[in-house]
mmCIF file of all heavy atoms in Angstrom:
data_model
loop_
_atom_site.group_PDB
_atom_site.id
_atom_site.type_symbol
_atom_site.label_atom_id
_atom_site.label_comp_id
_atom_site.label_asym_id
_atom_site.label_seq_id
_atom_site.Cartn_x
_atom_site.Cartn_y
_atom_site.Cartn_z
ATOM 1 N N PRO A 1 0.864 -1.220 -0.003
ATOM 2 C CA PRO A 1 0.025 -0.034 -0.036
ATOM 3 C C PRO A 1 0.841 1.265 -0.049
ATOM 4 O O PRO A 1 1.963 1.206 0.467
ATOM 5 C CB PRO A 1 -0.840 -0.128 1.287
ATOM 6 C CG PRO A 1 -0.037 -0.985 2.176
ATOM 7 C CD PRO A 1 0.723 -1.988 1.214
ATOM 8 N N GLU A 2 0.323 2.335 -0.511
ATOM 9 C CA GLU A 2 1.019 3.571 -0.642
ATOM 10 C C GLU A 2 1.603 4.121 0.687
ATOM 11 O O GLU A 2 2.646 4.643 0.875
ATOM 12 C CB GLU A 2 0.166 4.689 -1.250
ATOM 13 C CG GLU A 2 0.152 4.663 -2.765
ATOM 14 C CD GLU A 2 -0.507 3.397 -3.312
ATOM 15 O OE1 GLU A 2 -1.493 2.941 -2.675
ATOM 16 O OE2 GLU A 2 -0.111 2.862 -4.391
ATOM 17 N N ALA A 3 0.784 3.887 1.791
ATOM 18 C CA ALA A 3 1.191 4.302 3.139
ATOM 19 C C ALA A 3 2.392 3.579 3.597
ATOM 20 O O ALA A 3 3.195 4.134 4.326
ATOM 21 C CB ALA A 3 -0.007 4.095 4.074
ATOM 22 N N GLN A 4 2.596 2.315 3.197
ATOM 23 C CA GLN A 4 3.838 1.571 3.564
ATOM 24 C C GLN A 4 4.961 1.907 2.650
ATOM 25 O O GLN A 4 6.114 2.107 3.101
ATOM 26 C CB GLN A 4 3.538 0.086 3.499
ATOM 27 C CG GLN A 4 4.768 -0.689 4.040
ATOM 28 C CD GLN A 4 4.364 -2.096 4.531
ATOM 29 O OE1 GLN A 4 3.287 -2.536 4.221
ATOM 30 N NE2 GLN A 4 5.218 -2.735 5.222
ATOM 31 N N LEU A 5 4.691 2.130 1.450
ATOM 32 C CA LEU A 5 5.779 2.567 0.491
ATOM 33 C C LEU A 5 6.355 3.874 0.908
ATOM 34 O O LEU A 5 7.634 4.115 0.843
ATOM 35 C CB LEU A 5 5.275 2.757 -0.922
ATOM 36 C CG LEU A 5 4.934 1.408 -1.735
ATOM 37 C CD1 LEU A 5 4.215 1.789 -3.003
ATOM 38 C CD2 LEU A 5 6.231 0.725 -2.003
ATOM 39 N N ASP A 6 5.560 4.743 1.427
ATOM 40 C CA ASP A 6 5.939 6.107 1.842
ATOM 41 C C ASP A 6 6.988 5.999 3.073
ATOM 42 O O ASP A 6 7.679 6.945 3.331
ATOM 43 C CB ASP A 6 4.713 6.885 2.270
ATOM 44 C CG ASP A 6 5.038 8.476 2.246
ATOM 45 O OD1 ASP A 6 5.762 8.820 1.377
ATOM 46 O OD2 ASP A 6 4.485 9.126 3.056
ATOM 47 N N ARG A 7 6.983 4.847 3.737
ATOM 48 C CA ARG A 7 7.839 4.702 4.905
ATOM 49 C C ARG A 7 9.299 4.239 4.474
ATOM 50 O O ARG A 7 10.120 4.182 5.290
ATOM 51 C CB ARG A 7 7.240 3.761 5.930
ATOM 52 C CG ARG A 7 6.175 4.412 6.803
ATOM 53 C CD ARG A 7 5.312 3.472 7.450
ATOM 54 N NE ARG A 7 4.415 4.095 8.451
ATOM 55 C CZ ARG A 7 3.300 4.773 8.113
ATOM 56 N NH1 ARG A 7 2.946 4.880 6.847
ATOM 57 N NH2 ARG A 7 2.552 5.289 9.073
ATOM 58 N N PHE A 8 9.458 3.925 3.268
ATOM 59 C CA PHE A 8 10.781 3.594 2.608
ATOM 60 C C PHE A 8 11.482 4.872 2.316
ATOM 61 O O PHE A 8 10.937 5.550 1.454
ATOM 62 C CB PHE A 8 10.751 2.577 1.520
ATOM 63 C CG PHE A 8 10.376 1.244 1.946
ATOM 64 C CD1 PHE A 8 9.124 0.780 1.836
ATOM 65 C CD2 PHE A 8 11.314 0.369 2.461
ATOM 66 C CE1 PHE A 8 8.763 -0.628 2.161
ATOM 67 C CE2 PHE A 8 11.076 -0.984 2.819
ATOM 68 C CZ PHE A 8 9.741 -1.438 2.673
ATOM 69 N N LEU A 9 12.628 5.155 2.876
ATOM 70 C CA LEU A 9 13.365 6.362 2.490
ATOM 71 C C LEU A 9 13.710 6.352 0.966
ATOM 72 O O LEU A 9 13.543 7.338 0.318
ATOM 73 C CB LEU A 9 14.621 6.469 3.383
ATOM 74 C CG LEU A 9 15.513 7.698 3.021
ATOM 75 C CD1 LEU A 9 14.877 8.991 3.568
ATOM 76 C CD2 LEU A 9 16.894 7.517 3.606
ATOM 77 N N LEU A 10 14.120 5.179 0.530
ATOM 78 C CA LEU A 10 14.660 5.018 -0.819
ATOM 79 C C LEU A 10 14.031 3.755 -1.470
ATOM 80 O O LEU A 10 13.827 2.713 -0.835
ATOM 81 C CB LEU A 10 16.223 4.890 -0.885
ATOM 82 C CG LEU A 10 17.014 5.997 -0.270
ATOM 83 C CD1 LEU A 10 18.507 5.591 -0.319
ATOM 84 C CD2 LEU A 10 16.824 7.380 -0.941
ATOM 85 N N LYS A 11 13.699 3.935 -2.777
ATOM 86 C CA LYS A 11 13.456 2.695 -3.590
ATOM 87 C C LYS A 11 14.575 2.695 -4.656
ATOM 88 O O LYS A 11 14.715 3.599 -5.466
ATOM 89 C CB LYS A 11 12.061 2.768 -4.210
ATOM 90 C CG LYS A 11 11.819 1.645 -5.179
ATOM 91 C CD LYS A 11 10.494 1.870 -5.896
ATOM 92 C CE LYS A 11 10.332 0.670 -6.966
ATOM 93 N NZ LYS A 11 9.096 0.909 -7.719
ATOM 94 N N ILE A 12 15.365 1.642 -4.568
ATOM 95 C CA ILE A 12 16.430 1.507 -5.484
ATOM 96 C C ILE A 12 16.095 0.429 -6.561
ATOM 97 O O ILE A 12 15.814 -0.732 -6.211
ATOM 98 C CB ILE A 12 17.781 1.174 -4.746
ATOM 99 C CG1 ILE A 12 18.071 2.037 -3.616
ATOM 100 C CG2 ILE A 12 18.897 1.113 -5.701
ATOM 101 C CD1 ILE A 12 19.197 1.639 -2.771
ATOM 102 N N THR A 13 16.183 0.778 -7.816
ATOM 103 C CA THR A 13 15.858 -0.120 -8.915
ATOM 104 C C THR A 13 17.267 -0.596 -9.398
ATOM 105 O O THR A 13 18.126 0.140 -9.787
ATOM 106 C CB THR A 13 15.186 0.572 -10.078
ATOM 107 O OG1 THR A 13 13.960 1.155 -9.558
ATOM 108 C CG2 THR A 13 14.794 -0.391 -11.192
ATOM 109 N N ILE A 14 17.391 -1.945 -9.384
ATOM 110 C CA ILE A 14 18.648 -2.563 -9.821
ATOM 111 C C ILE A 14 18.455 -3.147 -11.252
ATOM 112 O O ILE A 14 17.597 -3.955 -11.497
ATOM 113 C CB ILE A 14 19.021 -3.767 -8.854
ATOM 114 C CG1 ILE A 14 19.084 -3.234 -7.469
ATOM 115 C CG2 ILE A 14 20.352 -4.354 -9.284
ATOM 116 C CD1 ILE A 14 19.435 -4.316 -6.379
ATOM 117 N N ASP A 15 19.339 -2.689 -12.160
ATOM 118 C CA ASP A 15 19.286 -3.089 -13.559
ATOM 119 C C ASP A 15 20.251 -4.264 -13.780
ATOM 120 O O ASP A 15 21.090 -4.583 -12.950
ATOM 121 C CB ASP A 15 19.626 -1.870 -14.442
ATOM 122 C CG ASP A 15 18.597 -0.815 -14.371
ATOM 123 O OD1 ASP A 15 17.331 -1.152 -14.309
ATOM 124 O OD2 ASP A 15 18.957 0.407 -14.407
ATOM 125 N N TYR A 16 20.112 -4.759 -14.940
ATOM 126 C CA TYR A 16 20.984 -5.891 -15.367
ATOM 127 C C TYR A 16 22.390 -5.230 -15.669
ATOM 128 O O TYR A 16 22.550 -4.065 -16.019
ATOM 129 C CB TYR A 16 20.534 -6.508 -16.720
ATOM 130 C CG TYR A 16 19.313 -7.412 -16.554
ATOM 131 C CD1 TYR A 16 18.209 -7.182 -17.238
ATOM 132 C CD2 TYR A 16 19.457 -8.517 -15.757
ATOM 133 C CE1 TYR A 16 17.104 -8.028 -17.033
ATOM 134 C CE2 TYR A 16 18.394 -9.397 -15.611
ATOM 135 C CZ TYR A 16 17.226 -9.118 -16.294
ATOM 136 O OH TYR A 16 16.122 -10.034 -16.101
ATOM 137 N N PRO A 17 23.465 -6.025 -15.455
ATOM 138 C CA PRO A 17 24.856 -5.520 -15.772
ATOM 139 C C PRO A 17 25.088 -5.421 -17.290
ATOM 140 O O PRO A 17 24.404 -6.065 -18.083
ATOM 141 C CB PRO A 17 25.736 -6.608 -15.155
ATOM 142 C CG PRO A 17 24.919 -7.872 -15.154
ATOM 143 C CD PRO A 17 23.491 -7.411 -14.968
ATOM 144 N N ASN A 18 26.078 -4.563 -17.630
ATOM 145 C CA ASN A 18 26.476 -4.554 -19.014
ATOM 146 C C ASN A 18 27.414 -5.642 -19.405
ATOM 147 O O ASN A 18 27.670 -6.517 -18.524
ATOM 148 C CB ASN A 18 27.091 -3.162 -19.410
ATOM 149 C CG ASN A 18 28.359 -2.902 -18.519
ATOM 150 O OD1 ASN A 18 29.116 -3.844 -18.238
ATOM 151 N ND2 ASN A 18 28.643 -1.659 -18.264
ATOM 152 N N LEU A 19 27.859 -5.700 -20.626
ATOM 153 C CA LEU A 19 28.649 -6.914 -21.083
ATOM 154 C C LEU A 19 29.898 -7.038 -20.338
ATOM 155 O O LEU A 19 30.176 -8.214 -19.846
ATOM 156 C CB LEU A 19 28.960 -6.737 -22.602
ATOM 157 C CG LEU A 19 29.817 -7.889 -23.203
ATOM 158 C CD1 LEU A 19 29.146 -9.214 -23.118
ATOM 159 C CD2 LEU A 19 30.215 -7.524 -24.670
ATOM 160 N N GLU A 20 30.631 -5.943 -20.072
ATOM 161 C CA GLU A 20 31.887 -6.095 -19.384
ATOM 162 C C GLU A 20 31.652 -6.593 -17.954
ATOM 163 O O GLU A 20 32.419 -7.441 -17.366
ATOM 164 C CB GLU A 20 32.688 -4.755 -19.336
ATOM 165 C CG GLU A 20 33.216 -4.300 -20.654
ATOM 166 C CD GLU A 20 32.176 -3.738 -21.592
ATOM 167 O OE1 GLU A 20 30.974 -3.495 -21.127
ATOM 168 O OE2 GLU A 20 32.424 -3.617 -22.809
ATOM 169 N N GLU A 21 30.606 -6.071 -17.271
ATOM 170 C CA GLU A 21 30.308 -6.485 -15.903
ATOM 171 C C GLU A 21 29.856 -7.879 -15.816
ATOM 172 O O GLU A 21 30.230 -8.625 -14.970
ATOM 173 C CB GLU A 21 29.258 -5.559 -15.306
ATOM 174 C CG GLU A 21 29.696 -4.090 -15.125
ATOM 175 C CD GLU A 21 28.558 -3.154 -14.797
ATOM 176 O OE1 GLU A 21 27.370 -3.458 -15.051
ATOM 177 O OE2 GLU A 21 28.842 -2.051 -14.245
ATOM 178 N N GLU A 22 29.095 -8.345 -16.852
ATOM 179 C CA GLU A 22 28.633 -9.741 -16.958
ATOM 180 C C GLU A 22 29.844 -10.736 -17.024
ATOM 181 O O GLU A 22 29.850 -11.724 -16.337
ATOM 182 C CB GLU A 22 27.654 -9.867 -18.073
ATOM 183 C CG GLU A 22 26.990 -11.289 -18.117
ATOM 184 C CD GLU A 22 25.620 -11.144 -17.469
ATOM 185 O OE1 GLU A 22 25.051 -10.081 -17.342
ATOM 186 O OE2 GLU A 22 25.087 -12.271 -17.148
ATOM 187 N N VAL A 23 30.808 -10.296 -17.900
ATOM 188 C CA VAL A 23 32.002 -11.127 -18.036
ATOM 189 C C VAL A 23 32.686 -11.205 -16.703
ATOM 190 O O VAL A 23 33.252 -12.256 -16.294
ATOM 191 C CB VAL A 23 32.972 -10.557 -19.101
ATOM 192 C CG1 VAL A 23 34.265 -11.241 -19.177
ATOM 193 C CG2 VAL A 23 32.293 -10.691 -20.542
ATOM 194 N N GLU A 24 32.827 -10.083 -15.986
ATOM 195 C CA GLU A 24 33.595 -10.093 -14.710
ATOM 196 C C GLU A 24 32.836 -10.920 -13.666
ATOM 197 O O GLU A 24 33.438 -11.608 -12.867
ATOM 198 C CB GLU A 24 33.695 -8.628 -14.220
ATOM 199 C CG GLU A 24 34.352 -8.424 -12.865
ATOM 200 C CD GLU A 24 35.830 -8.826 -12.831
ATOM 201 O OE1 GLU A 24 36.425 -8.897 -13.959
ATOM 202 O OE2 GLU A 24 36.347 -9.079 -11.818
ATOM 203 N N ILE A 25 31.521 -10.869 -13.642
ATOM 204 C CA ILE A 25 30.677 -11.653 -12.703
ATOM 205 C C ILE A 25 30.946 -13.154 -12.938
ATOM 206 O O ILE A 25 31.210 -13.917 -12.005
ATOM 207 C CB ILE A 25 29.186 -11.345 -12.863
ATOM 208 C CG1 ILE A 25 28.861 -9.942 -12.377
ATOM 209 C CG2 ILE A 25 28.393 -12.331 -12.134
ATOM 210 C CD1 ILE A 25 27.541 -9.431 -12.732
ATOM 211 N N ILE A 26 30.939 -13.636 -14.210
ATOM 212 C CA ILE A 26 31.135 -15.034 -14.544
ATOM 213 C C ILE A 26 32.526 -15.457 -14.180
ATOM 214 O O ILE A 26 32.744 -16.461 -13.593
ATOM 215 C CB ILE A 26 30.811 -15.232 -16.038
ATOM 216 C CG1 ILE A 26 29.322 -14.911 -16.395
ATOM 217 C CG2 ILE A 26 31.103 -16.650 -16.432
ATOM 218 C CD1 ILE A 26 29.110 -14.833 -17.827
ATOM 219 N N THR A 27 33.558 -14.567 -14.465
ATOM 220 C CA THR A 27 34.875 -14.906 -14.205
ATOM 221 C C THR A 27 35.145 -15.090 -12.691
ATOM 222 O O THR A 27 35.781 -15.994 -12.265
ATOM 223 C CB THR A 27 35.847 -13.821 -14.780
ATOM 224 O OG1 THR A 27 35.606 -13.580 -16.154
ATOM 225 C CG2 THR A 27 37.304 -14.108 -14.596
ATOM 226 N N ARG A 28 34.540 -14.124 -11.904
ATOM 227 C CA ARG A 28 34.762 -14.283 -10.466
ATOM 228 C C ARG A 28 34.107 -15.456 -9.882
ATOM 229 O O ARG A 28 34.673 -16.126 -8.988
ATOM 230 C CB ARG A 28 34.125 -13.032 -9.751
ATOM 231 C CG ARG A 28 34.941 -11.755 -9.926
ATOM 232 C CD ARG A 28 34.346 -10.665 -9.010
ATOM 233 N NE ARG A 28 35.023 -9.383 -9.257
ATOM 234 C CZ ARG A 28 34.756 -8.301 -8.491
ATOM 235 N NH1 ARG A 28 33.923 -8.415 -7.520
ATOM 236 N NH2 ARG A 28 35.334 -7.113 -8.833
ATOM 237 N N GLU A 29 32.986 -15.803 -10.437
ATOM 238 C CA GLU A 29 32.257 -17.091 -9.998
ATOM 239 C C GLU A 29 33.137 -18.321 -10.325
ATOM 240 O O GLU A 29 33.182 -19.245 -9.568
ATOM 241 C CB GLU A 29 30.855 -17.153 -10.675
ATOM 242 C CG GLU A 29 29.983 -18.243 -10.122
ATOM 243 C CD GLU A 29 29.613 -17.969 -8.660
ATOM 244 O OE1 GLU A 29 29.459 -16.849 -8.236
ATOM 245 O OE2 GLU A 29 29.301 -18.974 -7.982
ATOM 246 N N HIS A 30 33.717 -18.286 -11.511
ATOM 247 C CA HIS A 30 34.568 -19.344 -11.961
ATOM 248 C C HIS A 30 35.735 -19.543 -11.005
ATOM 249 O O HIS A 30 36.173 -20.713 -10.784
ATOM 250 C CB HIS A 30 34.984 -19.116 -13.415
ATOM 251 C CG HIS A 30 36.011 -20.105 -13.897
ATOM 252 N ND1 HIS A 30 35.693 -21.488 -14.039
ATOM 253 C CD2 HIS A 30 37.223 -20.011 -14.280
ATOM 254 C CE1 HIS A 30 36.753 -22.128 -14.402
ATOM 255 N NE2 HIS A 30 37.709 -21.254 -14.742
ATOM 256 N N LYS A 31 36.312 -18.481 -10.521
ATOM 257 C CA LYS A 31 37.580 -18.525 -9.726
ATOM 258 C C LYS A 31 37.168 -18.608 -8.216
ATOM 259 O O LYS A 31 38.167 -18.700 -7.382
ATOM 260 C CB LYS A 31 38.379 -17.253 -9.945
ATOM 261 C CG LYS A 31 38.902 -17.160 -11.292
ATOM 262 C CD LYS A 31 39.724 -15.881 -11.511
ATOM 263 C CE LYS A 31 40.311 -15.775 -12.861
ATOM 264 N NZ LYS A 31 41.118 -14.467 -13.046
ATOM 265 N N LEU A 32 35.936 -18.577 -7.902
ATOM 266 C CA LEU A 32 35.530 -18.525 -6.486
ATOM 267 C C LEU A 32 35.972 -19.800 -5.776
ATOM 268 O O LEU A 32 35.604 -20.918 -6.139
ATOM 269 C CB LEU A 32 34.009 -18.290 -6.376
ATOM 270 C CG LEU A 32 33.432 -18.027 -4.949
ATOM 271 C CD1 LEU A 32 33.988 -16.658 -4.482
ATOM 272 C CD2 LEU A 32 31.926 -18.023 -4.974
ATOM 273 N N LYS A 33 36.729 -19.639 -4.638
ATOM 274 C CA LYS A 33 37.178 -20.810 -3.754
ATOM 275 C C LYS A 33 36.406 -20.893 -2.549
ATOM 276 O O LYS A 33 36.544 -21.892 -1.827
ATOM 277 C CB LYS A 33 38.672 -20.661 -3.509
ATOM 278 C CG LYS A 33 39.486 -20.562 -4.816
ATOM 279 C CD LYS A 33 39.457 -21.768 -5.699
ATOM 280 C CE LYS A 33 40.357 -21.617 -6.873
ATOM 281 N NZ LYS A 33 40.150 -22.725 -7.860
ATOM 282 N N THR A 34 35.662 -19.886 -2.138
ATOM 283 C CA THR A 34 35.007 -19.912 -0.895
ATOM 284 C C THR A 34 33.579 -19.213 -1.064
ATOM 285 O O THR A 34 33.240 -18.892 -2.164
ATOM 286 C CB THR A 34 35.799 -19.130 0.304
ATOM 287 O OG1 THR A 34 35.002 -19.207 1.522
ATOM 288 C CG2 THR A 34 35.972 -17.628 -0.154
ATOM 289 N N THR A 35 32.797 -19.074 0.013
ATOM 290 C CA THR A 35 31.544 -18.440 -0.153
ATOM 291 C C THR A 35 31.718 -16.916 -0.295
ATOM 292 O O THR A 35 32.711 -16.346 0.085
ATOM 293 C CB THR A 35 30.645 -18.641 1.041
ATOM 294 O OG1 THR A 35 31.210 -18.106 2.223
ATOM 295 C CG2 THR A 35 30.399 -20.130 1.256
ATOM 296 N N LYS A 36 30.707 -16.227 -0.899
ATOM 297 C CA LYS A 36 30.801 -14.791 -1.113
ATOM 298 C C LYS A 36 30.862 -14.091 0.274
ATOM 299 O O LYS A 36 31.695 -13.111 0.430
ATOM 300 C CB LYS A 36 29.609 -14.314 -1.914
ATOM 301 C CG LYS A 36 29.721 -14.812 -3.397
ATOM 302 C CD LYS A 36 28.446 -14.281 -4.125
ATOM 303 C CE LYS A 36 28.428 -14.569 -5.623
ATOM 304 N NZ LYS A 36 28.262 -16.005 -5.805
ATOM 305 N N LEU A 37 30.080 -14.451 1.214
ATOM 306 C CA LEU A 37 30.024 -13.823 2.491
ATOM 307 C C LEU A 37 31.367 -13.937 3.233
ATOM 308 O O LEU A 37 31.735 -13.094 4.025
ATOM 309 C CB LEU A 37 28.876 -14.416 3.341
ATOM 310 C CG LEU A 37 27.459 -13.997 3.002
ATOM 311 C CD1 LEU A 37 26.462 -14.763 3.775
ATOM 312 C CD2 LEU A 37 27.302 -12.461 3.266
ATOM 313 N N ALA A 38 32.083 -15.082 3.039
ATOM 314 C CA ALA A 38 33.329 -15.283 3.691
ATOM 315 C C ALA A 38 34.385 -14.366 3.285
ATOM 316 O O ALA A 38 35.412 -14.130 3.955
ATOM 317 C CB ALA A 38 33.808 -16.672 3.499
ATOM 318 N N GLN A 39 34.246 -13.664 2.112
ATOM 319 C CA GLN A 39 35.208 -12.634 1.606
ATOM 320 C C GLN A 39 35.061 -11.262 2.303
ATOM 321 O O GLN A 39 35.965 -10.497 2.168
ATOM 322 C CB GLN A 39 34.994 -12.497 0.116
ATOM 323 C CG GLN A 39 35.227 -13.871 -0.653
ATOM 324 C CD GLN A 39 34.943 -13.579 -2.139
ATOM 325 O OE1 GLN A 39 35.690 -12.771 -2.767
ATOM 326 N NE2 GLN A 39 34.001 -14.283 -2.750
ATOM 327 N N ILE A 40 33.982 -11.121 2.969
ATOM 328 C CA ILE A 40 33.701 -9.825 3.593
ATOM 329 C C ILE A 40 34.079 -9.761 5.069
ATOM 330 O O ILE A 40 33.793 -10.605 5.813
ATOM 331 C CB ILE A 40 32.157 -9.372 3.446
ATOM 332 C CG1 ILE A 40 31.697 -9.566 1.928
ATOM 333 C CG2 ILE A 40 31.864 -8.071 4.062
ATOM 334 C CD1 ILE A 40 32.360 -8.644 1.062
ATOM 335 N N THR A 41 34.817 -8.685 5.421
ATOM 336 C CA THR A 41 35.203 -8.451 6.788
ATOM 337 C C THR A 41 34.385 -7.284 7.411
ATOM 338 O O THR A 41 34.222 -6.262 6.759
ATOM 339 C CB THR A 41 36.735 -8.056 6.859
ATOM 340 O OG1 THR A 41 37.448 -9.095 6.207
ATOM 341 C CG2 THR A 41 37.235 -7.908 8.290
ATOM 342 N N SER A 42 33.936 -7.499 8.652
ATOM 343 C CA SER A 42 33.197 -6.538 9.387
ATOM 344 C C SER A 42 34.125 -5.387 9.714
ATOM 345 O O SER A 42 35.154 -5.651 10.311
ATOM 346 C CB SER A 42 32.520 -7.096 10.625
ATOM 347 O OG SER A 42 31.637 -8.114 10.262
ATOM 348 N N SER A 43 33.754 -4.142 9.398
ATOM 349 C CA SER A 43 34.700 -3.075 9.601
ATOM 350 C C SER A 43 34.047 -1.838 10.277
ATOM 351 O O SER A 43 34.746 -0.879 10.476
ATOM 352 C CB SER A 43 35.245 -2.603 8.181
ATOM 353 O OG SER A 43 34.205 -2.194 7.366
#
């Protein structure tokens, strides 16, 4: 409902990546040795 949408500060629309980004995504997935979350450090 509109009343609930109004409570979100931002609505972010995420688009598809372009060709170069798509290649990078596939390459990283191919080389991935651990989980994605394990690569992130709390800072």
Side-chain angles (χ1 to χ4, degrees):
E2 277 65 36
Q4 186 158 15
L5 285 171
D6 202 33
R7 282 165 171 76
F8 286 100
L9 179 73
L10 304 175
K11 177 185 173 185
I12 307 174
T13 304
I14 305 177
D15 294 322
Y16 286 118
N18 59 33
L19 177 61
E20 291 77 14
E21 290 170 342
E22 189 94 20
V23 170
E24 179 66 19
I25 290 168
I26 298 169
T27 303
R28 288 192 187 185
E29 189 67 29
H30 175 61
K31 295 178 179 179
L32 192 64
K33 303 299 183 188
T34 182
T35 64
K36 293 181 174 70
L37 285 173
Q39 300 178 61
I40 305 297
T41 304
S42 300
S43 59

